[in-house]
Amino acid sequence: MNEKKRLPFGMGRLGTKWWVLVGVSLTLVTRGIIAYSQQASEGEVVTGMRDIGPMGGAAWGLYIVFVVYFVGISFTGICLASLIRLLNLKVLRPIVRPAEVMTVIALILGALAILADVGQPGRAFLMLLKYARPQSPFFGTFAMVISGYLFGSLVYLYLHGRPDAAVLAKRPGLLQRFHRWWAAGYGDTPPERARRVRSSFWLSVALLPLLITATSTLGFVFGLQGGRPGWFGSLQAPGFVVMAGLSGVGVLILIAAGLRQALGEKERLNLELFRWLADFLLVLLAGYLYFLVVEWLTNSYAAGPSESLVSQAILAGENAWIFWGSVAFLTLPAFLLLLQRLRGRVSLPLIVACGVMVNLAAIAKRFLIVVPSQTHGMLLPYSTGSYTPSLVEWEIVIGLVGLGGLLFALFVKGFPILELDRDYLGGTK
Amino acid sequence: MNRTAIAIWMVVAGFSLQFFAYFRWAAPLGAPTSPAFSDPRIPYAPAAFIFGVMLVFLSAVVYELQGGGEGESDG
């Protein structure tokens, strides 16, 4: 009887919606690959990036904006997964695996965005391993985040998936060999369970400080550059951590809502879970808006001439629409979520809309952190520069987003995206 | 050697690698008064640091998988 039972959560069944998602993702990935081949063959002249100063451009553009964005998303995924396990937050338990998968995929995308940014990825990779300074924030971001953090997250996902893999490995089918490999002999004996609890605890304990350090280091890449007006400041690192939390929780809300709709899992992915996520979002929004006001006050009250030029470009210049748009997409969700909290109701469409808005705001804020400080407020006598991402850059970045969708769609069909119930297939998980 | 000992050994080795790569093998810390401050004292010191981080996390896999199998005693 059990043998005939379907695989859980739509695994192995390829419906129309799934094919549409895969088709769209593959199209985006293909466009991205074509754009990248153009960049690889013709050089970075096909991008909108140019040297700072003499060429009046920005050396870091859309790729670095999305490196920061992807790493931010990954931070929240594994951070939430660790906290849910450490604090045993049962309401949020169903989103543990989606959060882990989100982290791994976002880190892969972050690594690819870095490779897209450097002219010769192979050479950069070799030089990084041979000559980099482990003390440098650049190394911390581009090597430790991607290697240590990605590796740690993969280990976390792998070990926590073993019990489910062991249950599924008993079922004959195309995926049986894969599940057997993943289970790696897991038998759910009391000693194995005890080991799992211990390793899970220590992994969470090891990952959490690494996450905070890695994301802060990303902020230090900007915040420690004293010669670049607009970047130097002690708020960059905590600001990066809070913004990472915001964008990650936003994406997690979208993923959870998508899974709830696609899998019909309204009981496990219930409104109480979304209320928790909305509350997280509200707290993080309040924190980030506070940072925003403090930063704005500091820059407008006592800034030097160069800092003032950068502030002017952001508040009233060519980037003003991005800044005020991001402010709107941060304050509106905060207001709506607060209103919802005060009324004691939970509206899923509203929470999803807030998730979308904070992510648009996060991308806009990353752009404002990365770009204007390179084009405005030069300390040397160079004129003001400008940067507009080229079509090639957009196609590569959108291709990366498509790759993320594709990887997620493939994972969902090969492994349970939600943790299995204890009694699934008579297992004793 | 049981699984716990191997895992602890890996954690210690991993952190030691990170420590030596950071403080002894990489380019020295301090004001860059000479070219010696630019290059690592031992080539591939950054790779050793990354390997150290990975070794620490890998210890969790070894702890759970080493010896594998049902009925394995919890060493």
Side-chain angles (χ1 to χ4, degrees), chain A residues 132-133 135 162 189 198-199, chain B residues 22 28 37 46 63-64 70 74:
Chain A
R133 293 178 70 100
Q135 304 95 337
R162 282 181 76 214
T189 60
R198 270 196 294 273
S199 66
Chain B
Y22 195 97
F37 284 89
Y63 179 69
E64 284 214 26
E70 206 163 345
D74 185 31

Side-chain angles (χ1 to χ4, degrees), chain A residues 202-374:
Chain A
W202 285 109
L203 264 178
S204 299
V205 167
L207 271 169
L208 280 172
L210 179 72
L211 294 170
I212 304 282
T213 310
T215 312
S216 303
T217 306
L218 199 55
F220 288 141
V221 166
F222 300 91
L224 293 183
Q225 297 204 34
R228 184 64 49 200
W231 281 358
F232 187 69
S234 55
L235 273 185
Q236 291 283 18
F240 266 62
V241 172
V242 177
M243 185 48 106
L246 266 178
S247 53
V249 172
V251 172
L252 204 52
I253 286 172
L254 302 185
I255 290 174
L259 289 173
R260 178 183 152 101
Q261 183 68 26
L263 306 176
E265 286 289 333
K266 294 189 176 165
E267 204 170 304
R268 300 185 77 185
L269 299 168
N270 53 38
L271 290 179
E272 180 63 8
L273 179 145
F274 285 95
R275 192 183 64 75
W276 270 75
L277 290 176
D279 287 349
F280 275 139
L281 205 58
L282 182 57
V283 171
L284 290 166
L285 274 167
Y288 195 78
L289 284 169
Y290 170 70
F291 281 157
L292 200 67
V293 172
V294 169
E295 188 187 24
W296 178 74
L297 274 176
T298 310
N299 284 339
S300 57
Y301 186 74
S306 298
E307 277 84 3
S308 295
L309 277 172
V310 177
S311 293
Q312 188 65 19
I314 291 173
L315 294 173
E318 60 189 86
N319 296 306
W321 68 277
I322 304 176
F323 175 76
W324 292 111
S326 72
V327 170
F329 279 168
L330 288 170
T331 45
L332 187 60
F335 174 73
L336 291 172
L337 291 173
L338 183 64
L339 203 64
Q340 177 183 255
R341 197 75 184 89
L342 293 173
R343 285 182 170 181
R345 292 181 193 163
V346 181
S347 163
L348 187 53
L350 185 139
I351 296 172
V352 169
C354 291
V356 173
M357 280 190 275
V358 294
N359 269 282
L360 292 173
I363 294 169
K365 276 299 292 174
R366 305 312 198 193
F367 185 88
L368 293 173
I369 289 168
V370 173
V371 176
S373 290
Q374 298 176 82

